[in-house]
Amino acid sequence: MPLHRQTAELLAGMAALNLPRVEEQTPEEARAQRRAMLRPSTEPIAEVRDLDAGGVGARLYRPSATRSPGLLVWFHGGGWVLGDLETHDDVCRALANRGGFCVLSVDYRLAPEHPFPCAVDDALTATSWAHAHAGELGCEPIVAVGGDSAGGNLAAVVANRPAVPIVFQALVYPCTDARMALHSYTENAEGYWLTTSAMRCFYDHYLSGPDGSREDPRVSPLLEDDARLASAPSALVVTAEYDPLRDDGAAYAARLTEAGVSTTHVRFDGQIHGFFTFAGLLDDCRSAQSLVAEAVHTAFSKAVAAA
């Protein structure tokens, strides 16, 4: 279908700003540009608290009305190069409020200063800490993981290689195949905010250290072996029609399903990469956030009932 009207207007407005492309900037310049465009969240929430999750920075969000005792550990997007607690503050507030559960947002280290596997190590550390300290946070040790884009990649890696039990994974347009050979990288290469050249730049920064490769399943979870995938928790995968990463998410959802994992794949037609973070501008953003929040709540409820 055509671009959603609201999304087309958003892209036109962004184009009018004539901002430098991510791949034309240093990481520091790209981060400064993103910070300059950031606006504080207007979504109220009962509690927001910064804390140390085993040596990894994190932020806890507690809603006024709690429906589920579990804890969602959330990893922000930004190509492992951009993003932090502030860029996804509104997302985490929305997920906590709509789902009625606590959210722990993880401030993992960024590339290229801290290349792979630093982000994976931080994601695993923070998730293990969340499980061990759930009681101190007012939660049960019932943990789900989730994230958008590069954060969805980290959530998938944690779900495949968990150090603690994981009951659910919520993956929003995740990066799953660093070989970048799937069709949507060509079909949606330009014109829809995230570009294929920007993704190539992100992967180059992420893999700029001595470890890892594009074929490493900790980088490309689509290449994970069947046994690990078969033991992964149930999943929700959200994709967008006009996204270079569309087929990454679709292929990963298919692999999970083939491995016997209960998986729901929802594609938002007419949408672009990043739409999940544009609350107040895109109706589909709020719809997708509610979808993710309700799926996580349902997973927590099932885990409680089975305990």
Side-chain angles (χ1 to χ4, degrees):
M1 66 178 289
L3 275 172
H4 191 289
R5 175 186 56 80
Q6 293 174 326
T7 307
E9 292 173 356
L10 172 64
L11 287 175
M14 294 171 69
L17 296 175
N18 197 30
L19 298 172
R21 294 161 64 105
V22 168
E23 59 270 33
E24 298 171 346
Q25 302 178 80
T26 66
E28 294 83 359
E29 290 169 341
R31 291 166 191 157
Q33 178 175 288
R34 176 168 286 200
R35 283 194 300 271
M37 298 178 67
L38 191 64
R39 296 294 179 268
S41 174
T42 59
E43 173 135 3
I45 193 167
E47 180 186 4
V48 177
R49 173 160 52 103
D50 288 351
L51 47 79
D52 183 319
V56 181
R59 180 174 291 171
L60 179 70
Y61 296 84
R62 186 185 311 281
S64 299
T66 301
R67 294 195 294 158
S68 302
L71 178 63
L72 172 63
V73 180
W74 188 262
F75 307 108
H76 66 77
W80 307 279
V81 175
L82 310 176
D84 54 29
L85 299 179
E86 301 303 331
T87 61
H88 285 64
D89 179 65
D90 189 73
V91 168
C92 292
R93 287 168 181 259
L95 292 174
N97 283 337
R98 284 153 185 70
F101 47 74
C102 289
V103 175
L104 185 72
S105 182
V106 179
D107 196 20
Y108 58 87
R109 288 171 290 174
L110 300 177
E113 297 89 345
H114 303 283
F116 173 87
C118 292
V120 171
D121 291 343
D122 287 355
L124 289 167
T125 294
T127 304
S128 296
W129 183 92
H131 184 269
H133 295 265
E136 300 170 24
L137 303 178
C139 304
E140 296 294 327
I142 302 171
V143 174
V145 293
D148 59 304
S149 194
N153 169 280
L154 294 174
V157 171
V158 171
N160 290 336
R161 298 164 180 265
V164 296
I166 306 294
V167 302
F168 191 72
Q169 52 182 321
L171 314 178
V172 179
Y173 35 72
C175 319
T176 68
D177 188 353
R179 297 172 300 180
M180 298 180 61
L182 297 174
H183 179 62
S184 56
Y185 279 106
T186 301
E187 182 182 345
N188 299 322
E190 291 281 343
Y192 304 114
W193 194 43
L194 176 67
T195 65
T196 294
S197 58
M199 272 308 306
R200 188 171 293 109
C201 178
F202 288 142
Y203 274 123
D204 287 346
H205 283 313
Y206 190 43
L207 295 174
S208 61
D211 299 314
S213 71
R214 291 176 183 261
E215 290 74 31
D216 189 325
R218 296 172 299 163
V219 175
S220 297
L222 184 65
L223 306 182
E224 189 60 88
D225 65 63
D226 291 341
R228 285 190 186 274
L229 284 182
S231 64
S234 57
L236 168 66
V237 181
V238 175
T239 59
E241 181 180 8
Y242 294 99
D243 182 358
L245 299 182
R246 181 195 66 208
D247 293 349
D248 275 38
Y252 194 65
R255 273 220 68 198
L256 286 172
T257 299
E258 291 165 3
V261 177
S262 176
T263 304
T264 300
H265 173 207
V266 178
R267 188 175 103 167
F268 278 77
D269 287 336
Q271 282 306 339
I272 60 171
H273 192 86
F275 83 95
F276 194 76
T277 62
F278 285 109
L281 297 175
L282 304 179
D283 293 340
D284 279 349
C285 172
R286 290 301 191 190
S287 296
Q289 290 176 350
S290 294
L291 174 71
V292 170
E294 195 60 30
V296 174
H297 164 69
T298 299
F300 285 154
S301 297
K302 289 180 178 178
V304 170

